[in-house]
């Protein structure tokens, strides 16, 4: 016999489904004007400020999606609804442009700097080359995966320029992105590691351990590019362009500087 | 291509080692859990099942914290015993054992619990010790459960990703297993190589499962008549 319980249960289920549908609809309305910005992990701290400033100046709500550039690129290629992509280097933006998923070649919005960072008290960062080659001082060294992450690639470049790659190679561990590399360093799982300057300058990480900026002659500062995606041009043409324009304005350039980036000298020609 | 084989060799040795340790560890745990009347039983069961609920990356993150040379446990292991469990193959085994423990314990435990109680009683009455009864009577009667447990643990370890990603450090030949390699190649936009890894992984896993289910079916047919 279908008892009173099953009737109540059925009604509850119905109510539940209806409420989901109602939420969905509300979301859809709320998000109509929202600009979706895909952001490489190293830029997330600066992006928090940029986002707020942009929202207060234009009234256009921004939603950022933070991940590694490789993942975001794969997602955009498969039609993810991101309007703008701030990548960690130029490679990913160029790939998207080649595949016609971005409407213009990437524009450099910042140059990232590399730092050596440790939470161990007794490490002498002044003499980095000596410290790194001394296996009794430093066991594991964390870098981002050099194949995917530009900051990892430049860390390798740095070791090569110093001529110590052979001595450190067996002690390297690879974070899948700059974010995981930060975890390895920050938790003390590795004795030292190489990451983006923007990370150690972020409010979340400042004061945790000690770091030193690497000599920019010993690696290539990382040119980071931004693109408007095809989705952005189709769905958010005006807002996307406004965001790009805003990205090269003086207040934003100052935010980037505050987080340890260098900024390009002049404003590029906008894509449209 | 060398890297390709190295990766699969590593993946398989991880899965075999972890499964072996899990069997040694899981069998007595499952047996004791199935026998005990203690009030602690639900607590233990909940603890063992926890890895089912926790997202693997979260589990991995806490393992990273726990095993880091900075922590009490990690520091003790490194300084007193010279064992380093992060960024090493041994560490992956330890992580996998924790992560796959419910997959080993639960099927075996329910196997034991579903055996008729008079089976063991008959053996005791005939003067057999508890240990003899366990190995000669009980375990042979729950073979399908044990095989299921072994296969689930093995397969779960092969497909493991989050924990390894967190505590492995992606070192080729040491901690770079197939699931990590696939992820990496996708990140690097080498979709063709990623597909190759994935294909081998799928075919291999499918064959193993097929083998086991075929075997199990035959076993039941003989037993069940």
């Amino acid at each position: 016999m279908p008892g009173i319980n099953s009737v109540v249960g059925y009604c509850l289920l119905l109510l539940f489904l209806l409420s989901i549908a109602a939420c969905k609809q509300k979301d859809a309305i709320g998000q109509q004007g929202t600009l979706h910005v895909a952001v490489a992990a190293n830029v997330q701290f600066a992006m928090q400020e940029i986002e707020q400033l942009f929202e207060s100046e234009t009234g256009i709500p921004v939603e950022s999606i933070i991940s590694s550039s490789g993942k975001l690129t794969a997602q955009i290629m498969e039609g993810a609804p991101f309007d703008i992509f701030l990548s960690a280097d130029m490679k990913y933006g160029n790939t998207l442009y080649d595949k016609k998923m971005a409407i213009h070649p990437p524009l450099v919005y910042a140059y990232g700097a590399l730092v050596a960072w440790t939470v161990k008290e007794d490490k002498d960062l002044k003499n980095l080359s000596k410290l790194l080659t001394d296996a009794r001082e430093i066991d594991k060294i964390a870098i981002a995966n050099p194949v995917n992450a530009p900051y990892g690639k430049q860390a390798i470049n740095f070791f090569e320029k110093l001529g110590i790659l052979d001595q450190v190679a067996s002690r390297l561990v690879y974070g899948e992105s700059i974010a995981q590399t930060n975890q390895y360093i920050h938790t003390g799982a590795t004795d030292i590691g190489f990451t983006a300057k923007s990370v150690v300058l972020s409010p979340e990480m400042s004061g945790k351990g000690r770091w030193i900026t690497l000599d920019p002659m010993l690696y290539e500062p990382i040119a980071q590019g931004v693109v408007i995606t095809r989705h952005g041009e189709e769905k958010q043409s005006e807002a996307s362009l406004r965001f790009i324009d805003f990205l090269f304005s003086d207040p934003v350039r100052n935010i980037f500087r505050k987080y340890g980036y260098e900024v390009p000298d002049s404003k590029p020609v906008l894509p449209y | 291509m060398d890297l390709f084989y190295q990766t699969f060799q590593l993946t398989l040795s991880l899965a075999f080692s972890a499964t072996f340790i899990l069997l040694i560890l899981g069998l007595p745990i499952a047996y004791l859990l199935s026998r005990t009347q203690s009030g602690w039983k639900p607590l233990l069961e909940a603890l063992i099942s926890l890895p089912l609920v926790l997202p693997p990356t979260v589990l991995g993150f806490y393992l990273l914290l726990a095993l880091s040379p900075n922590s009490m446990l990690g520091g003790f292991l490194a300084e007193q015993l010279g064992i380093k469990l992060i960024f090493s193959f041994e560490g992956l085994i330890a992580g996998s054992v924790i992560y796959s423990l419910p997959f080993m314990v639960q099927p075996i435990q329910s196997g034991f619990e579903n055996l008729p109680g008079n089976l063991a009683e008959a053996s005791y009455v005939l003067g057999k010790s508890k240990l003899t009864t366990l190995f000669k009577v009980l375990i042979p009667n729950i073979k399908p459960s044990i095989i299921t447990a072994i296969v689930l643990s093995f397969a779960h370890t092969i497909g493991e990703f989050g924990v390894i990603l967190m505590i492995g450090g992606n070192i080729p030949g040491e901690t770079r297993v197939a699931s990590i390699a696939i992820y990496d190649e996708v990140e690097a936009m080498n979709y063709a190589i990623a597909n190759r890894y994935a294909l081998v992984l799928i075919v291999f896993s499918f064959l193993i499962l097929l083998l086991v289910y075929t075997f199990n079916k035959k076993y039941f047919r003989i037993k069940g008549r």
Side-chain angles (χ1 to χ4, degrees), chain B:
Chain B
M1 217 52 195
D2 261 357
L3 196 65
F4 196 76
Y5 289 121
Q6 188 190 47
T7 302
F8 275 104
Q9 198 194 351
L10 195 70
T11 310
L12 286 181
S13 32
L14 175 66
F16 275 118
S17 325
T19 310
F20 181 72
I21 294 176
L22 274 168
L23 185 65
I24 308 279
L25 211 65
L27 206 64
I29 294 180
Y31 178 66
L32 292 176
L33 278 178
S34 72
R35 294 283 124 161
T36 183
Q37 308 286 335
S38 151
W40 294 99
K41 186 182 170 184
L43 191 79
L44 275 174
E45 285 179 317
L47 210 62
I48 288 170
S49 302
L50 217 48
L52 287 176
V53 188
L54 275 183
T57 40
V58 175
L59 187 64
F61 181 63
Y62 287 115
L63 279 176
L64 182 69
L65 287 183
L67 299 177
S68 142
N70 269 7
S71 75
M72 265 178 33
L73 178 62
F76 172 78
L77 287 176
E79 275 160 35
Q80 306 299 322
L81 307 172
I83 302 174
K84 293 199 98 178
L85 285 185
I86 39 173
F87 311 128
S88 70
F89 184 68
E90 292 76 20
L92 294 195
I93 297 180
S96 308
V97 165
I98 295 173
Y99 178 55
S100 296
L101 192 60
F103 289 81
M104 183 61 87
V105 171
Q106 284 179 355
I108 301 183
Q109 185 189 341
S110 69
F112 278 130
E113 280 170 354
N114 287 331
L115 283 179
N118 52 20
L119 203 62
E121 282 157 18
S123 171
Y124 297 152
V125 167
L126 290 170
K128 298 296 175 197
S129 72
K130 278 200 159 176
L131 212 61
T132 315
T133 307
L134 175 63
F135 282 102
K136 299 276 176 178
V137 180
L138 301 183
I139 289 182
N141 272 297
I142 58 159
K143 233 188 237 163
S145 310
I146 295 181
I147 289 168
T148 306
I150 291 177
V151 171
L152 281 180
S153 311
F154 187 84
H156 199 231
T157 312
I158 292 236
E160 185 180 348
F161 175 72
V163 173
I164 298 183
L165 183 76
M166 279 292 172
I167 63 172
N170 203 350
I171 304 166
E174 179 82 24
T175 59
R176 188 180 193 259
V177 297
S179 57
I180 302 283
I182 294 175
Y183 178 81
D184 250 18
E185 300 299 350
V186 171
E187 283 280 287
M189 297 186 286
N190 295 328
Y191 301 136
I193 304 178
N195 285 340
R196 205 155 58 208
Y197 275 117
L199 188 70
V200 174
L201 208 59
I202 289 173
V203 169
F204 177 79
S205 310
F206 179 75
L207 286 180
I208 287 201
L209 291 174
L210 189 69
L211 207 73
V212 170
Y213 285 121
T214 317
F215 176 80
N216 250 1
K217 195 179 163 200
K218 272 200 192 122
Y219 186 82
F220 278 126
R221 196 176 292 153
I222 295 163
K223 272 200 52 121
R225 276 178 293 274

Side-chain angles (χ1 to χ4, degrees), chain A residues 68-74 77-78 91-92 95 119-120 139-140 145 147-148 170 172-177 180 183-184 186-191, chain B residues 61 64-65 67-71 84 86-88 161-172 176 180 183-191:
Chain A
S68 69
S69 298
K71 245 179 295 186
L72 292 169
T73 304
M77 286 218 257
E78 297 311 318
K91 182 180 81 182
Y92 294 105
T95 306
V119 293
K120 313 272 157 124
D139 183 22
K140 298 290 189 209
N145 190 333
V147 182
N148 309 329
S170 65
L172 294 178
V173 295
Y174 306 100
E176 56 102 4
S177 67
Q180 202 193 14
Q183 280 171 14
Y184 285 160
H186 176 228
T187 57
T190 63
D191 292 324
Chain B
F61 181 63
L64 182 69
L65 287 183
L67 299 177
S68 142
N70 269 7
S71 75
K84 293 199 98 178
I86 39 173
F87 311 128
S88 70
F161 175 72
V163 173
I164 298 183
L165 183 76
M166 279 292 172
I167 63 172
N170 203 350
I171 304 166
R176 188 180 193 259
I180 302 283
Y183 178 81
D184 250 18
E185 300 299 350
V186 171
E187 283 280 287
M189 297 186 286
N190 295 328
Y191 301 136

